């Protein structure tokens, strides 16, 4: 594959070679591996994976930018949806999954404080040891007064809890499997070594993955053509159960780029949605310098809604990020632009554009709100709009 990307500095290339050697060793020992295993190692191999090694990832100086990294408006707007739920509970907990740099936790805490709706405790569940360290450092500096109520969990909660769960751009970072439609039906795309390099190979679909792919293809409104390749998040339901299964009363907010299954698994999207990010450039070769690129796939929100239903959640909202933030009164978080000094006005307008414009995050990102045991009158206003639930 021909990619016009500048190769990394030598020491970064060496880092990537170490990770490649680890993957090579695994394939040599046991044969071709599932793509989800490759992605798991590329992102999370201790000390080497993209999220586990101490490389700069988020923000303008990293590889990509997320909504919380743009500035506080995003967290302040979500706080307006979260606050009414927390206020209605005794001693609620806020659980943030995959907190990245810790920026969102700081801004959300401050926004909830301003709305007089602080949770009793704020838990962070972060898979990457490196990012967890960065979160601790940032929160010690910027949220010192709140530390007695903040804790980092080593594993998802095992006991029942009430409150709100937030996961921003986490589901798209969960390892996916790949499948391809051939003349003989769908097959799994696995990773093998050929000519000394990682390459894709086919093998028959097996086990749960085979069942899920078959079910998916049966439900689609159109047949996928030969040569079509895409992803499936086989672990989605297990992940949701692990992080939110013990939520008794409350809400889970999942924000990510993604679509309904009919759009994601569309015959015109021949190559699926797997993307690789390196220094704000997008490419499509997951084998290019593993460990230095973020690998991500769009979320199938139809599958997530089905999993949530199986787990006894009510689907309270599903909409584009722009529509959701509008319903959540982003205008109140922004304030009056005309009263701001020029530089601030430019910064705020830029944040707003990136969050709301359709070709930026506005329509590519979706928000899903799942609830348990919340009465209609307890629902925040933003969750009562019909949104795009009918499309799931
Ligand atoms: C794309 S980043 C998003 C970070 C942050 N939420 C933001 O929006 O800026 C994905 C985050 O999820 C974390 N993560 C991925 N899988 C996870 C899991 N199974 N449990 C907890 N954290 C996870 C990553 O380490 C990283 O912090």
């Amino acid at each position: 594959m021909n990619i016009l990307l500048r190769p990394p500095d030598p020491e970064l290339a060496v880092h990537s070679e170490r990770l490649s050697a680890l993957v090579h060793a695994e394939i040599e020992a046991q044969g071709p591996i599932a793509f989800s295993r490759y992605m798991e190692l590329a992102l999370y191999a201790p000390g080497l994976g993209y999220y586990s090694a101490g490389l700069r990832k988020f923000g303008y100086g990293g590889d990509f930018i997320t909504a919380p990294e743009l500035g506080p408006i995003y967290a302040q707007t979500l706080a307006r949806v979260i606050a009414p739920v927390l206020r209605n509970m005794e001693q609620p907990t806020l659980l943030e999954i995959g907190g990245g740099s810790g920026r969102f936790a700081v801004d959300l805490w401050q926004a909830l404080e301003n709305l007089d709706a602080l949770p009793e405790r704020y838990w962070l569940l972060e898979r990457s040891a490196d990012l967890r360290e960065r979160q601790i450092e940032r929160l010690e500096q910027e949220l010192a007064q709140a530390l007695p109520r903040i804790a980092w969990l080593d594993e998802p909660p095992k006991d029942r809890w009430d409150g709100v769960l937030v996961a921003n751009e986490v589901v798209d970072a969960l390892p996916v499997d790949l499948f391809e439609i051939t003349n003989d039906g769908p097959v799994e795309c696995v990773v093998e070594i050929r000519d000394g390099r990682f390459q894709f190979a086919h093998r028959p679909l097996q086990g749960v993955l085979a069942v899920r792919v078959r079910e998916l293809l049966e439900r689609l409104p159109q047949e996928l053509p030969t040569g079509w390749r895409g992803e499936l998040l086989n672990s989605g339901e297990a992940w949701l159960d692990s992080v939110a299964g013990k939520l008794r009363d409350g809400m889970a907010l999942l924000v990510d780029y993604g679509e309904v299954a009919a759009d994601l698994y569309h015959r015109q999207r021949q190559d699926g949605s797997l993307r690789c990010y390196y220094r704000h450039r997008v490419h499509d070769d997951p084998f290019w310098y593993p460990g230095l690129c973020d690998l991500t796939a769009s979320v199938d929100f139809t599958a997530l809604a089905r999993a949530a239903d199986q787990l006894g959640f009510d689907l309270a909202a599903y909409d584009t990020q722009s529509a959701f933030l509008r319903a959540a009164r982003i205008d109140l978080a922004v304030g009056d632009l005309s009263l701001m000094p020029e530089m601030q006005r430019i910064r705020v307008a830029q944040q707003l554009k990136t969050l709301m414009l359709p070709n930026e995050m506005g329509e590519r990102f979706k928000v899903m709100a799942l609830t348990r045991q919340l009465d209609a009158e307890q629902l925040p206003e933003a969750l009562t709009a019909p949104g795009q639930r009918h499309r799931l």
Side-chain angles (χ1 to χ4, degrees):
M1 186 165 301
N2 195 8
I3 295 178
L4 298 172
L5 288 171
R6 202 147 50 103
D9 297 338
E11 74 269 26
L12 287 178
V14 168
H15 175 93
S16 175
E17 276 160 26
R18 273 197 226 116
L19 178 63
S20 293
L22 187 84
V23 183
H24 261 259
E26 188 160 318
I27 295 176
E28 261 152 31
Q30 66 183 55
I33 55 173
F35 184 76
S36 54
R37 177 62 182 157
Y38 174 85
M39 187 163 163
E40 169 98 20
L41 291 169
L43 296 183
Y44 304 109
L48 290 173
Y50 179 77
Y51 282 110
S52 317
L55 306 172
R56 179 127 176 76
K57 304 161 181 76
F58 311 105
Y60 293 103
D63 295 305
F64 58 90
I65 189 133
T66 61
E69 296 291 329
L70 292 167
I73 289 174
Y74 179 70
Q76 288 166 353
T77 309
L78 290 194
R80 294 191 168 276
V81 181
I82 294 170
V85 179
L86 296 182
R87 276 204 213 97
N88 263 311
M89 291 176 169
E90 278 173 32
Q91 306 208 323
T93 299
L94 203 145
L95 168 59
E96 184 185 354
I97 317 285
S101 72
R103 177 80 270 149
F104 184 72
V106 171
D107 290 338
L108 183 64
W109 182 275
Q110 285 167 349
L112 290 171
E113 191 166 33
N114 291 339
L115 295 170
D116 201 14
L118 279 178
E120 186 63 22
R121 54 194 85 73
Y122 195 116
W123 287 338
L124 293 109
L125 179 66
E126 171 53 63
R127 178 159 193 197
S128 151
D130 169 59
L131 287 175
R132 177 175 165 148
E133 280 312 306
R134 286 203 224 175
Q135 290 162 13
I136 293 173
E137 221 172 89
R138 171 168 253 158
L139 270 59
E140 276 176 357
Q141 277 174 16
E142 298 182 33
L143 222 49
Q145 77 289 1
L147 286 179
R149 284 154 75 176
I150 298 177
W152 279 263
L153 305 185
D154 294 323
E155 53 183 4
K158 287 219 163 12
D159 298 321
R160 299 234 163 246
W161 61 283
D162 301 325
V164 174
L165 176 152
V166 189
N168 192 74
E169 279 207 55
V170 179
V171 185
D172 72 0
L174 300 176
V176 289
D177 286 300
L178 295 187
F179 67 94
E180 186 171 323
I181 309 294
T182 68
N183 288 330
D184 300 324
V187 294
E188 183 180 1
C189 300
V190 291
V191 182
E192 67 171 17
I193 301 166
R194 248 185 359 255
D195 306 327
R197 295 189 300 124
F198 298 128
Q199 311 239 23
F200 282 119
H202 288 166
R203 78 176 170 200
L205 285 160
Q206 298 158 9
V208 182
L209 182 62
V211 175
R212 294 228 160 102
V213 170
R214 199 171 340 108
E215 282 174 359
L216 167 74
L217 296 177
E218 277 167 14
R219 280 198 313 271
L220 290 180
Q222 49 175 299
E223 222 170 85
L224 297 178
T226 300
W228 194 99
R229 181 190 282 183
E231 315 77 32
L232 190 134
L233 180 60
N234 202 5
S235 61
E237 184 172 341
W239 173 80
L240 189 61
D241 190 21
S242 75
V243 295
K246 296 289 180 192
L247 177 62
R248 184 173 44 195
D249 294 357
M251 172 175 72
L253 269 185
L254 310 171
V255 189
D256 237 303
Y257 46 73
E259 332 217 1
V260 296
D263 291 347
L264 193 57
Y265 299 100
H266 193 280
R267 49 188 300 125
Q268 280 167 2
R269 296 185 72 166
Q270 279 280 349
D271 299 317
S273 71
L274 184 71
R275 285 178 303 275
C276 318
Y277 283 87
Y278 178 71
R279 307 268 154 94
H280 295 274
R281 302 275 303 267
V282 189
H283 67 92
D284 62 0
D285 183 358
F287 304 138
W288 192 82
Y289 290 101
L292 302 187
C293 303
D294 187 24
L295 307 182
T296 147
S298 292
V299 173
D300 172 359
F301 276 102
T302 304
L304 212 51
R306 289 170 70 92
D309 184 53
Q310 291 285 319
L311 297 170
F313 283 97
D314 294 317
L315 176 68
Y318 171 71
D319 216 335
T320 60
Q321 176 169 297
S322 59
F324 189 86
L325 294 181
R326 215 175 301 118
R329 301 295 312 272
I330 190 171
D331 55 314
L332 297 178
V334 170
D336 190 340
L337 283 168
S338 68
L339 299 179
M340 291 174 195
E342 190 179 354
M343 285 317 286
Q344 189 189 352
R345 185 167 64 239
I346 292 170
R347 259 201 318 276
V348 171
Q350 189 54 46
Q351 266 184 71
L352 209 51
K353 274 189 190 166
T354 310
L355 290 172
M356 303 296 276
L357 284 181
N359 289 336
E360 300 265 352
M361 294 177 170
E363 290 194 1
R364 291 193 295 131
F365 278 69
K366 311 291 188 306
V367 183
M368 180 172 268
L370 306 169
T371 56
R372 267 200 182 138
Q373 312 276 359
L374 287 192
D375 302 331
E377 66 272 14
Q378 284 177 284
L379 288 181
E381 247 177 69
L383 303 189
T384 51
Q388 303 208 358
R389 269 175 284 183
H390 63 283
R391 296 217 56 226
L392 289 163

